[in-house]
């Protein structure tokens, strides 16, 4: 796809693109569709013809972790302002990122007043719970890695399996959060984070077992999609879910031909004849 291709809102994509903000990681990438060895790869290739192809990595590891915590159980529309407000107050150039913190985000957040932090990130929802987790994570990162820079080096250069295991051991960090940090900060190939869109679409299309949990979907996709396509596949599938394959009203419900991936989809749990849409696991259990 050429430079300046349109995104989902019809605006030109920039030369560099980030998930969730304007700082760090992600740039134009290209792969050759048409030689797919699996159906899942063929789906990602088709998405590559629809959306701007991206490669990810380069975001600060601890900021990426905080950003992903803020995004849990809410939308980008709600979590992005919370992230921006947090960085304005606690980031290296923020009012709380003073000389005592040395410009270190982990140090600044480890010393933060939890209630003040909660008010700062209130747009993200569940702000009391998230502020408690962020302060605790900052304290752990400061203690074990000496601060954000040490944690960033661990995320980017450590063994991916060890990094993932360490992240999953942190309070409030589940598989999706860990995988997003590996992808958007570490730039690790072969990482296909599974959010609610990916979980639904992969099972609905028949790319993963209908009753697979999030980990089962991740394993199925990472086996079937080449490593260099996984990061793009994750973000493109989310965009596709928002535009075409929503939970209750997928495009194929009224007209299968309205979906650009209709020929690649098993439509598990979707019945245009009856207008019924159910979870793929429920459909498979019938």
């Amino acid at each position: 796809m050429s430079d300046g291709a349109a995104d989902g809102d019809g605006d030109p994509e920039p030369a560099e693109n980030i998930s969730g903000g304007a700082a760090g990681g992600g740039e134009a990438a290209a792969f050759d569709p048409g030689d797919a060895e699996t159906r899942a790869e063929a789906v990602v290739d088709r998405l590559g013809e629809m959306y701007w192809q991206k490669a990810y990595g380069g975001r600060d590891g601890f900021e990426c972790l905080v950003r992903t915590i803020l995004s849990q159980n809410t939308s980008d529309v709600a979590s992005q302002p919370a992230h921006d407000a947090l960085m304005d107050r606690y980031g290296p150039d923020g009012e709380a990122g003073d000389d005592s913190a040395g410009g270190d985000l982990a140090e600044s957040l480890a010393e933060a007043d939890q209630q003040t932090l909660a008010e700062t990130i209130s747009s993200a929802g569940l702000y009391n719970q998230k502020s408690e987790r962020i302060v605790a994570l900052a304290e752990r990162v400061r203690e074990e890695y000496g601060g954000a820079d040490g944690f960033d080096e661990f995320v980017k250069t450590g063994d991916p399996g060890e990094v993932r295991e360490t992240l999953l051991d942190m309070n409030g960090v589940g598989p999706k959060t860990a995988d997003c940090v590996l992808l958007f900060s570490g730039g690790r190939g072969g990482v296909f984070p599974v959010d609610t869109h990916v979980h639904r679409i992969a099972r609905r299309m028949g790319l993963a077992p209908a009753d697979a949990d999030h980990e089962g979907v991740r394993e199925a996709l990472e086996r079937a999609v080449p490593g260099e396509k996984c990061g793009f596949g994750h973000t493109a599938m989310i965009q596709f879910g928002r535009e075409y394959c929503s939970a209750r009203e997928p495009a194929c419900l009224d007209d299968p031909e309205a979906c650009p991936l209709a020929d690649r989809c098993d439509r598990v749990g979707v019945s245009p004849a009856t207008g019924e849409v159910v979870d793929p696991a429920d459909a498979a259990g019938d």
Side-chain angles (χ1 to χ4, degrees):
M1 185 172 289
S2 61
D3 291 342
D7 64 12
D9 296 323
D11 297 325
E13 289 275 7
E16 296 197 348
N17 186 308
I18 323 299
S19 173
E27 59 186 29
F31 53 79
D32 182 25
D35 297 323
E37 296 185 2
T38 67
R39 189 152 66 97
E41 183 183 358
V43 166
V44 172
D45 285 350
R46 184 75 62 83
L47 293 172
E49 296 171 348
M50 296 169 57
Y51 304 124
W52 195 72
Q53 295 173 17
K54 310 175 185 74
Y56 294 99
R59 296 193 69 184
D60 175 80
F62 183 65
E63 182 184 348
C64 186
L65 176 59
V66 170
R67 175 68 181 84
T68 311
I69 293 290
L70 291 174
S71 73
Q72 293 174 347
N73 300 302
T74 192
S75 67
D76 288 344
V77 172
S79 63
Q80 185 61 47
H83 169 265
D84 294 342
L86 181 148
M87 293 303 296
D88 286 345
R89 181 180 289 272
Y90 300 102
D93 299 322
E95 55 191 88
D98 55 20
D99 292 339
S100 64
D104 187 284
L105 181 62
E107 177 70 25
S108 181
L109 286 170
E111 296 296 326
D113 173 72
Q114 187 259 324
Q115 188 56 45
T116 301
L117 175 58
E119 294 170 359
T120 303
I121 64 171
S122 59
S123 69
L126 300 176
Y127 45 87
N128 286 319
Q129 181 185 78
K130 291 177 181 179
S131 60
E132 291 177 1
R133 286 177 175 175
I134 288 170
V135 170
L137 288 169
E139 291 173 343
R140 177 168 174 174
V141 165
R142 178 177 63 176
E143 178 181 349
E144 296 185 10
Y145 301 97
D149 287 346
F151 181 72
D152 185 57
E153 181 179 0
F154 171 65
V155 169
K156 289 186 168 83
T157 65
D159 174 76
E162 181 183 352
V163 174
R164 191 173 195 269
E165 184 176 342
T166 299
L167 288 166
L168 290 173
D169 185 55
M170 294 180 170
N171 182 40
V173 177
K176 178 208 163 187
T177 297
D179 290 335
C180 283
V181 173
L182 280 170
L183 174 62
F184 294 116
S185 176
R188 303 306 180 96
V191 177
F192 205 124
V194 175
D195 78 331
T196 184
H197 292 289
V198 175
H199 185 233
R200 175 181 72 254
I201 293 167
R203 294 178 303 129
R204 182 179 281 173
M205 295 189 74
L207 305 180
D211 61 351
D213 60 11
H214 282 65
E215 283 290 88
V217 170
R218 179 186 66 83
E219 292 170 358
L221 292 174
E222 289 181 1
R223 280 196 307 268
V225 178
E228 69 274 12
K229 299 181 182 182
C230 283
F232 165 77
H234 161 73
T235 54
M237 199 171 284
I238 290 172
Q239 188 166 351
F240 177 76
R242 290 170 175 164
E243 293 182 6
Y244 293 98
C245 199
S246 63
R248 294 182 177 85
E249 297 182 356
C252 65
L253 190 61
D254 294 326
D255 177 11
E257 298 306 314
C259 176
L261 291 179
D263 63 324
R264 298 287 185 181
C265 185
D266 289 347
R267 290 197 289 278
V268 180
V270 179
S271 175
T274 64
E276 185 179 22
V277 180
V278 300
D279 185 271
D282 293 336
D286 292 341

